[in-house]
Amino acid sequence: GQQVMQIPQYQHVQEGEDFTTYCNSSTTLSNIQWYKQRPGGHPVFLIQLVKSGEVKKQKRLTFQFGEAKKNSSLHITATQTTDVGTYFCARGQQTGANNLFFGTGTRLTVIP
Amino acid sequence: GAGVSQTPSNKVTEKGKYVELRCDPISGHTALYWYRQSLGQGPEFLIYFQGTGAADDSGLPNDRFFAVRPEGSVSTLKIQRTERGDSAVYLCASSSPRAGGQSSYNEQFFGPGTRLTVL
């Protein structure tokens, strides 16, 4: 189907520890976007990955797109309390429309 | 500049009633999307407008749901004969015209959502 699966569903880390969330699809993805949603907030765009094997960095965040374009990951180095929230990956519609199909999300809790 | 705005922020209604949810996209954004998010879930696509027309309404769950965007800016999501299962946060997002070729999509800017509760 259209859904992308994310693991883990929840993650609790001590502040300063690293965190990784994984996004998997049974079909090849044309692109993947990552969004962050703070508790009580709305999704905010982080990054888009398009190319096979692509790696992008934003400060402590590293995003990867698998070689087969069926999986992606988001890694946060040395988490901070400001990283708290739910991280979603989202795939684009294959047929050219712009709507997104969101993954199940990983909810990150950072313990100070 | 102003982001995406949605009104009302909260709507409580009774089963069987009709509701309208409004979305004001970012000025100049031709694409507008409606999603619905239930507690603990990711946003679920409902409908996508490119300009005034619904380019993809395949996510609307049934014919009680309808959305319009008559002038290519503000959009209204309409739900008839509401049911308790319609309770969720309804999110609107907008994006600028696509750039970067076939395989890339512009980022979507989300509004704060309307929390709909059907009693």
Side-chain angles (χ1 to χ4, degrees), chain A residues 9 30-31 33 35 37 42-45 48 50 88 92-104, chain B residues 31 33 35 37 40-43 45 48 50 56 58 91 95 98 102-108 110-112:
Chain A
Q9 188 175 3
S30 58
N31 68 85
Q33 294 188 7
Y35 287 78
Q37 186 171 24
H42 56 274
V44 175
F45 175 82
Q48 175 176 241
V50 177
F88 291 100
Q93 174 81 300
Q94 295 285 57
T95 56
N98 284 348
N99 47 289
L100 296 172
F101 293 91
F102 282 77
T104 45
Chain B
Y33 316 81
Y35 296 87
Q37 187 172 27
Q41 303 294 318
F45 167 73
Y48 153 57
Q50 184 61 253
D56 186 345
S58 61
L91 293 164
S95 69
R98 185 199 291 185
Q102 187 71 16
S103 61
S104 70
Y105 297 82
N106 287 344
E107 66 178 283
Q108 296 187 14
F110 282 80

Short mmCIF file of all heavy atoms in Angstrom, two decimals, chain A residues 9 30-31 33 35 37 42-45 48 50 88 92-104, chain B residues 31 33 35 37 40-43 45 48 50 56 58 91 95 98 102-108 110-112:
data_model
loop_
_atom_site.label_atom_id
_atom_site.label_comp_id
_atom_site.label_asym_id
_atom_site.label_seq_id
_atom_site.Cartn_x
_atom_site.Cartn_y
_atom_site.Cartn_z
N GLN A 9 8.25 2.97 17.62
CA GLN A 9 7.08 3.82 17.79
C GLN A 9 7.34 4.87 18.87
O GLN A 9 6.90 6.01 18.76
CB GLN A 9 5.88 2.95 18.19
CG GLN A 9 4.57 3.71 18.21
CD GLN A 9 3.38 2.80 18.49
OE1 GLN A 9 3.55 1.59 18.73
NE2 GLN A 9 2.19 3.36 18.49
N SER A 30 9.99 7.58 -4.63
CA SER A 30 10.57 8.62 -5.49
C SER A 30 11.25 9.68 -4.64
O SER A 30 12.22 10.30 -5.07
CB SER A 30 9.49 9.25 -6.36
OG SER A 30 8.46 9.80 -5.55
N ASN A 31 10.73 9.89 -3.45
CA ASN A 31 11.34 10.85 -2.54
C ASN A 31 10.83 10.57 -1.13
O ASN A 31 9.87 9.82 -0.96
CB ASN A 31 10.97 12.29 -2.93
CG ASN A 31 9.50 12.58 -2.70
OD1 ASN A 31 9.10 12.93 -1.61
ND2 ASN A 31 8.70 12.42 -3.72
N GLN A 33 10.22 12.78 2.65
CA GLN A 33 10.33 14.01 3.43
C GLN A 33 10.26 13.65 4.91
O GLN A 33 9.63 12.66 5.28
CB GLN A 33 9.20 14.99 3.09
CG GLN A 33 9.27 15.52 1.67
CD GLN A 33 8.26 16.64 1.40
OE1 GLN A 33 7.58 17.13 2.29
NE2 GLN A 33 8.16 17.05 0.14
N TYR A 35 9.34 15.29 8.78
CA TYR A 35 8.68 16.36 9.51
C TYR A 35 8.82 16.11 11.01
O TYR A 35 8.90 14.96 11.46
CB TYR A 35 7.18 16.43 9.16
CG TYR A 35 6.90 16.97 7.78
CD1 TYR A 35 7.06 16.18 6.65
CD2 TYR A 35 6.47 18.28 7.61
CE1 TYR A 35 6.81 16.69 5.39
CE2 TYR A 35 6.21 18.80 6.35
CZ TYR A 35 6.37 17.99 5.25
OH TYR A 35 6.14 18.50 4.00
N GLN A 37 6.92 17.11 14.73
CA GLN A 37 5.72 17.66 15.34
C GLN A 37 5.92 17.71 16.85
O GLN A 37 6.04 16.65 17.50
CB GLN A 37 4.49 16.82 14.99
CG GLN A 37 3.17 17.40 15.47
CD GLN A 37 1.97 16.63 14.92
OE1 GLN A 37 2.08 15.46 14.55
NE2 GLN A 37 0.82 17.27 14.85
N HIS A 42 1.93 21.40 15.19
CA HIS A 42 1.65 20.87 13.87
C HIS A 42 2.96 20.43 13.21
O HIS A 42 4.04 20.84 13.65
CB HIS A 42 0.96 21.94 13.01
CG HIS A 42 1.72 23.22 12.91
ND1 HIS A 42 1.62 24.22 13.84
CD2 HIS A 42 2.62 23.66 11.99
CE1 HIS A 42 2.40 25.22 13.49
NE2 HIS A 42 3.03 24.90 12.37
N PRO A 43 2.88 19.58 12.20
CA PRO A 43 4.12 19.11 11.55
C PRO A 43 4.89 20.26 10.92
O PRO A 43 4.32 21.15 10.29
CB PRO A 43 3.60 18.15 10.48
CG PRO A 43 2.25 17.73 10.94
CD PRO A 43 1.69 18.93 11.64
N VAL A 44 6.20 20.22 11.09
CA VAL A 44 7.11 21.21 10.51
C VAL A 44 8.14 20.48 9.65
O VAL A 44 8.76 19.53 10.10
CB VAL A 44 7.81 22.03 11.60
CG1 VAL A 44 8.84 22.97 10.98
CG2 VAL A 44 6.80 22.82 12.42
N PHE A 45 8.29 20.94 8.44
CA PHE A 45 9.20 20.31 7.46
C PHE A 45 10.64 20.40 7.94
O PHE A 45 11.10 21.43 8.41
CB PHE A 45 9.04 21.02 6.12
CG PHE A 45 10.00 20.57 5.06
CD1 PHE A 45 9.73 19.42 4.31
CD2 PHE A 45 11.14 21.30 4.77
CE1 PHE A 45 10.60 19.02 3.32
CE2 PHE A 45 12.01 20.91 3.78
CZ PHE A 45 11.74 19.76 3.04
N GLN A 48 14.03 17.07 2.61
CA GLN A 48 13.56 16.16 1.57
C GLN A 48 14.78 15.44 1.00
O GLN A 48 15.81 16.05 0.76
CB GLN A 48 12.85 16.92 0.46
CG GLN A 48 12.44 16.02 -0.70
CD GLN A 48 11.64 16.73 -1.77
OE1 GLN A 48 10.51 16.35 -2.03
NE2 GLN A 48 12.21 17.74 -2.39
N VAL A 50 15.92 12.82 -2.21
CA VAL A 50 15.46 12.42 -3.53
C VAL A 50 16.38 11.36 -4.16
O VAL A 50 15.91 10.43 -4.80
CB VAL A 50 15.37 13.64 -4.46
CG1 VAL A 50 14.96 13.23 -5.86
CG2 VAL A 50 14.40 14.66 -3.91
N PHE A 88 8.12 12.27 11.82
CA PHE A 88 7.42 11.53 10.77
C PHE A 88 8.22 11.56 9.48
O PHE A 88 8.75 12.60 9.09
CB PHE A 88 6.07 12.19 10.46
CG PHE A 88 5.05 12.08 11.55
CD1 PHE A 88 4.82 13.16 12.40
CD2 PHE A 88 4.29 10.94 11.71
CE1 PHE A 88 3.87 13.09 13.40
CE2 PHE A 88 3.33 10.86 12.71
CZ PHE A 88 3.12 11.93 13.55
N GLY A 92 5.99 10.82 -1.10
CA GLY A 92 5.16 11.51 -2.06
C GLY A 92 4.33 10.54 -2.86
O GLY A 92 4.68 9.36 -3.00
N GLN A 93 3.23 11.03 -3.38
CA GLN A 93 2.38 10.23 -4.27
C GLN A 93 3.18 9.83 -5.49
O GLN A 93 3.89 10.63 -6.06
CB GLN A 93 1.16 11.09 -4.66
CG GLN A 93 0.25 10.48 -5.69
CD GLN A 93 -0.70 9.48 -5.08
OE1 GLN A 93 -0.29 8.50 -4.50
NE2 GLN A 93 -1.98 9.73 -5.23
N GLN A 94 3.08 8.59 -5.92
CA GLN A 94 3.89 8.10 -7.03
C GLN A 94 3.47 8.67 -8.37
O GLN A 94 4.25 8.71 -9.31
CB GLN A 94 3.82 6.57 -7.10
CG GLN A 94 4.42 5.87 -5.89
CD GLN A 94 5.94 5.89 -5.90
OE1 GLN A 94 6.57 6.94 -5.94
NE2 GLN A 94 6.55 4.73 -5.85
N THR A 95 2.19 9.07 -8.49
CA THR A 95 1.67 9.39 -9.81
C THR A 95 1.83 10.86 -10.18
O THR A 95 1.29 11.29 -11.16
CB THR A 95 0.19 9.01 -9.90
OG1 THR A 95 -0.52 9.68 -8.85
CG2 THR A 95 0.01 7.52 -9.78
N GLY A 96 2.52 11.60 -9.39
CA GLY A 96 2.80 12.98 -9.77
C GLY A 96 2.08 14.02 -8.94
O GLY A 96 2.46 15.18 -8.96
N ALA A 97 1.04 13.64 -8.23
CA ALA A 97 0.39 14.61 -7.34
C ALA A 97 1.31 14.89 -6.16
O ALA A 97 2.24 14.15 -5.89
CB ALA A 97 -0.95 14.05 -6.85
N ASN A 98 1.05 15.98 -5.48
CA ASN A 98 1.96 16.43 -4.44
C ASN A 98 1.60 15.99 -3.04
O ASN A 98 2.30 16.32 -2.10
CB ASN A 98 2.04 17.95 -4.45
CG ASN A 98 2.90 18.44 -5.61
OD1 ASN A 98 3.60 17.66 -6.24
ND2 ASN A 98 2.84 19.71 -5.89
N ASN A 99 0.50 15.27 -2.87
CA ASN A 99 0.09 14.93 -1.52
C ASN A 99 1.04 13.89 -0.90
O ASN A 99 1.70 13.14 -1.59
CB ASN A 99 -1.34 14.39 -1.49
CG ASN A 99 -1.60 13.35 -2.55
OD1 ASN A 99 -1.66 13.67 -3.73
ND2 ASN A 99 -1.72 12.10 -2.15
N LEU A 100 1.11 13.91 0.41
CA LEU A 100 2.03 13.07 1.15
C LEU A 100 1.31 11.97 1.91
O LEU A 100 0.17 12.14 2.36
CB LEU A 100 2.81 13.92 2.15
CG LEU A 100 3.73 14.99 1.58
CD1 LEU A 100 4.27 15.87 2.70
CD2 LEU A 100 4.87 14.35 0.80
N PHE A 101 1.99 10.84 2.04
CA PHE A 101 1.51 9.75 2.88
C PHE A 101 2.50 9.61 4.03
O PHE A 101 3.67 9.27 3.81
CB PHE A 101 1.39 8.46 2.07
CG PHE A 101 0.32 8.55 1.02
CD1 PHE A 101 0.62 8.98 -0.25
CD2 PHE A 101 -1.00 8.24 1.32
CE1 PHE A 101 -0.36 9.10 -1.21
CE2 PHE A 101 -1.99 8.35 0.37
CZ PHE A 101 -1.67 8.78 -0.90
N PHE A 102 2.02 9.88 5.22
CA PHE A 102 2.88 9.93 6.39
C PHE A 102 3.08 8.55 7.00
O PHE A 102 2.19 7.71 6.99
CB PHE A 102 2.30 10.86 7.45
CG PHE A 102 2.53 12.31 7.15
CD1 PHE A 102 1.77 12.96 6.21
CD2 PHE A 102 3.53 13.01 7.81
CE1 PHE A 102 1.99 14.30 5.93
CE2 PHE A 102 3.76 14.34 7.55
CZ PHE A 102 2.99 15.00 6.60
N GLY A 103 4.27 8.36 7.57
CA GLY A 103 4.54 7.18 8.35
C GLY A 103 3.84 7.24 9.69
O GLY A 103 3.15 8.21 10.01
N THR A 104 4.06 6.20 10.46
CA THR A 104 3.39 6.08 11.76
C THR A 104 4.04 6.96 12.84
O THR A 104 3.44 7.19 13.86
CB THR A 104 3.43 4.62 12.21
OG1 THR A 104 4.75 4.09 12.00
CG2 THR A 104 2.46 3.78 11.38
N ALA B 31 -0.89 25.23 -4.24
CA ALA B 31 -1.28 23.90 -3.78
C ALA B 31 -1.79 23.97 -2.34
O ALA B 31 -1.18 24.63 -1.48
CB ALA B 31 -0.10 22.94 -3.86
N TYR B 33 -3.67 21.38 0.77
CA TYR B 33 -3.92 20.00 1.16
C TYR B 33 -4.72 19.97 2.46
O TYR B 33 -4.49 20.79 3.35
CB TYR B 33 -2.61 19.24 1.42
CG TYR B 33 -1.52 19.48 0.40
CD1 TYR B 33 -0.74 20.62 0.47
CD2 TYR B 33 -1.28 18.56 -0.62
CE1 TYR B 33 0.26 20.86 -0.46
CE2 TYR B 33 -0.28 18.79 -1.55
CZ TYR B 33 0.48 19.94 -1.46
OH TYR B 33 1.47 20.17 -2.39
N TYR B 35 -5.49 17.25 5.59
CA TYR B 35 -5.16 16.00 6.25
C TYR B 35 -5.99 15.88 7.52
O TYR B 35 -6.47 16.89 8.06
CB TYR B 35 -3.67 15.95 6.65
CG TYR B 35 -2.69 15.99 5.50
CD1 TYR B 35 -2.25 17.21 4.97
CD2 TYR B 35 -2.17 14.81 4.96
CE1 TYR B 35 -1.34 17.24 3.93
CE2 TYR B 35 -1.26 14.84 3.91
CZ TYR B 35 -0.84 16.06 3.41
OH TYR B 35 0.07 16.10 2.37
N GLN B 37 -5.71 14.02 11.43
CA GLN B 37 -4.79 13.33 12.31
C GLN B 37 -5.52 12.89 13.58
O GLN B 37 -6.03 13.73 14.33
CB GLN B 37 -3.61 14.23 12.69
CG GLN B 37 -2.53 13.51 13.47
CD GLN B 37 -1.29 14.36 13.67
OE1 GLN B 37 -1.34 15.59 13.69
NE2 GLN B 37 -0.13 13.71 13.83
N GLY B 40 -2.17 9.98 18.26
CA GLY B 40 -1.13 8.95 18.17
C GLY B 40 -0.84 8.46 16.76
O GLY B 40 -0.06 7.52 16.58
N GLN B 41 -1.46 9.09 15.77
CA GLN B 41 -1.26 8.66 14.38
C GLN B 41 -0.61 9.77 13.57
O GLN B 41 -0.58 10.93 13.99
CB GLN B 41 -2.62 8.32 13.75
CG GLN B 41 -3.40 7.26 14.49
CD GLN B 41 -2.71 5.91 14.43
OE1 GLN B 41 -2.20 5.51 13.39
NE2 GLN B 41 -2.67 5.22 15.56
N GLY B 42 -0.12 9.40 12.40
CA GLY B 42 0.39 10.40 11.48
C GLY B 42 -0.75 11.03 10.71
O GLY B 42 -1.85 10.49 10.64
N PRO B 43 -0.51 12.21 10.12
CA PRO B 43 -1.55 12.84 9.29
C PRO B 43 -1.96 11.91 8.16
O PRO B 43 -1.12 11.28 7.52
CB PRO B 43 -0.86 14.09 8.77
CG PRO B 43 0.21 14.40 9.77
CD PRO B 43 0.68 13.05 10.23
N PHE B 45 -3.90 11.76 4.54
CA PHE B 45 -4.29 12.61 3.41
C PHE B 45 -5.78 12.51 3.11
O PHE B 45 -6.35 11.42 3.08
CB PHE B 45 -3.49 12.19 2.17
CG PHE B 45 -4.00 12.76 0.88
CD1 PHE B 45 -3.82 14.10 0.60
CD2 PHE B 45 -4.68 11.97 -0.04
CE1 PHE B 45 -4.30 14.65 -0.59
CE2 PHE B 45 -5.16 12.51 -1.22
CZ PHE B 45 -4.97 13.85 -1.50
N TYR B 48 -6.37 17.20 -2.15
CA TYR B 48 -5.33 18.12 -2.60
C TYR B 48 -5.90 18.99 -3.72
O TYR B 48 -6.52 18.49 -4.65
CB TYR B 48 -4.13 17.29 -3.06
CG TYR B 48 -3.23 17.89 -4.11
CD1 TYR B 48 -2.61 19.10 -3.91
CD2 TYR B 48 -2.95 17.20 -5.30
CE1 TYR B 48 -1.77 19.64 -4.87
CE2 TYR B 48 -2.10 17.72 -6.25
CZ TYR B 48 -1.52 18.94 -6.04
OH TYR B 48 -0.66 19.47 -6.97
N GLN B 50 -4.99 21.97 -6.57
CA GLN B 50 -4.01 22.75 -7.34
C GLN B 50 -4.83 23.88 -7.95
O GLN B 50 -5.61 23.65 -8.87
CB GLN B 50 -3.34 21.90 -8.41
CG GLN B 50 -2.26 22.63 -9.17
CD GLN B 50 -1.12 23.08 -8.26
OE1 GLN B 50 -0.97 24.26 -7.96
NE2 GLN B 50 -0.32 22.13 -7.84
N ASP B 56 -6.78 15.76 -6.46
CA ASP B 56 -6.81 14.40 -5.94
C ASP B 56 -7.68 14.40 -4.69
O ASP B 56 -7.32 15.03 -3.70
CB ASP B 56 -5.39 13.92 -5.60
CG ASP B 56 -5.34 12.45 -5.19
OD1 ASP B 56 -6.39 11.85 -4.90
OD2 ASP B 56 -4.22 11.89 -5.16
N SER B 58 -8.89 11.40 -3.47
CA SER B 58 -8.98 9.98 -3.19
C SER B 58 -8.92 9.65 -1.70
O SER B 58 -9.28 8.55 -1.29
CB SER B 58 -7.86 9.22 -3.91
OG SER B 58 -6.59 9.67 -3.46
N LEU B 91 -5.94 19.07 9.67
CA LEU B 91 -4.80 19.92 9.32
C LEU B 91 -4.89 20.35 7.87
O LEU B 91 -5.26 19.57 6.99
CB LEU B 91 -3.49 19.14 9.51
CG LEU B 91 -3.11 18.75 10.94
CD1 LEU B 91 -2.03 17.68 10.92
CD2 LEU B 91 -2.62 19.96 11.71
N SER B 95 1.60 24.66 -0.26
CA SER B 95 2.96 24.69 -0.79
C SER B 95 2.98 25.51 -2.07
O SER B 95 1.95 25.70 -2.73
CB SER B 95 3.50 23.28 -1.03
OG SER B 95 2.82 22.66 -2.10
N ARG B 98 5.45 23.37 -7.64
CA ARG B 98 6.51 22.39 -7.56
C ARG B 98 7.71 22.85 -8.38
O ARG B 98 7.58 23.36 -9.47
CB ARG B 98 6.05 21.05 -8.10
CG ARG B 98 7.10 19.97 -7.93
CD ARG B 98 6.86 18.79 -8.83
NE ARG B 98 5.69 18.04 -8.45
CZ ARG B 98 5.35 16.91 -9.05
NH1 ARG B 98 6.06 16.43 -10.03
NH2 ARG B 98 4.26 16.27 -8.67
N GLN B 102 10.42 15.93 -11.62
CA GLN B 102 9.36 14.96 -11.38
C GLN B 102 9.43 14.34 -9.99
O GLN B 102 8.42 14.05 -9.39
CB GLN B 102 9.46 13.85 -12.44
CG GLN B 102 8.33 12.86 -12.41
CD GLN B 102 7.03 13.46 -12.89
OE1 GLN B 102 7.01 14.52 -13.52
NE2 GLN B 102 5.92 12.83 -12.60
N SER B 103 10.62 14.08 -9.50
CA SER B 103 10.72 13.27 -8.30
C SER B 103 10.81 14.07 -7.00
O SER B 103 10.91 13.51 -5.94
CB SER B 103 11.93 12.34 -8.40
OG SER B 103 13.11 13.11 -8.52
N SER B 104 10.77 15.38 -7.09
CA SER B 104 10.87 16.16 -5.86
C SER B 104 9.59 16.93 -5.63
O SER B 104 8.86 17.25 -6.58
CB SER B 104 12.06 17.11 -5.91
OG SER B 104 11.83 18.15 -6.84
N TYR B 105 9.32 17.24 -4.39
CA TYR B 105 8.11 17.94 -4.01
C TYR B 105 8.49 19.09 -3.09
O TYR B 105 9.39 18.96 -2.27
CB TYR B 105 7.16 16.99 -3.27
CG TYR B 105 6.69 15.84 -4.12
CD1 TYR B 105 7.48 14.73 -4.29
CD2 TYR B 105 5.46 15.90 -4.76
CE1 TYR B 105 7.06 13.68 -5.10
CE2 TYR B 105 5.02 14.85 -5.55
CZ TYR B 105 5.82 13.74 -5.72
OH TYR B 105 5.41 12.71 -6.50
N ASN B 106 7.80 20.17 -3.21
CA ASN B 106 8.09 21.29 -2.32
C ASN B 106 7.58 20.98 -0.92
O ASN B 106 6.60 20.26 -0.74
CB ASN B 106 7.44 22.56 -2.84
CG ASN B 106 8.17 23.09 -4.06
OD1 ASN B 106 9.30 22.69 -4.33
ND2 ASN B 106 7.53 23.96 -4.79
N GLU B 107 8.22 21.59 0.07
CA GLU B 107 7.81 21.35 1.44
C GLU B 107 6.40 21.89 1.65
O GLU B 107 5.97 22.85 0.99
CB GLU B 107 8.77 22.04 2.41
CG GLU B 107 8.77 23.55 2.33
CD GLU B 107 9.70 24.16 3.35
OE1 GLU B 107 9.32 24.20 4.53
OE2 GLU B 107 10.78 24.61 2.95
N GLN B 108 5.70 21.26 2.55
CA GLN B 108 4.35 21.69 2.88
C GLN B 108 4.39 22.43 4.21
O GLN B 108 5.03 22.00 5.16
CB GLN B 108 3.41 20.49 2.95
CG GLN B 108 3.28 19.80 1.59
CD GLN B 108 2.24 18.71 1.56
OE1 GLN B 108 1.41 18.59 2.47
NE2 GLN B 108 2.26 17.91 0.52
N PHE B 110 2.24 23.61 7.29
CA PHE B 110 1.01 23.22 7.95
C PHE B 110 0.45 24.34 8.82
O PHE B 110 1.20 25.12 9.42
CB PHE B 110 1.24 21.99 8.83
CG PHE B 110 1.30 20.70 8.06
CD1 PHE B 110 2.46 20.32 7.39
CD2 PHE B 110 0.19 19.88 7.97
CE1 PHE B 110 2.51 19.14 6.66
CE2 PHE B 110 0.23 18.69 7.26
CZ PHE B 110 1.39 18.32 6.60
N GLY B 111 -0.87 24.38 8.88
CA GLY B 111 -1.55 25.26 9.82
C GLY B 111 -1.64 24.60 11.19
O GLY B 111 -1.26 23.43 11.34
N PRO B 112 -2.17 25.31 12.17
CA PRO B 112 -2.26 24.79 13.54
C PRO B 112 -3.33 23.72 13.71
O PRO B 112 -3.34 23.03 14.73
CB PRO B 112 -2.59 26.02 14.37
CG PRO B 112 -3.28 26.95 13.42
CD PRO B 112 -2.65 26.71 12.08
#
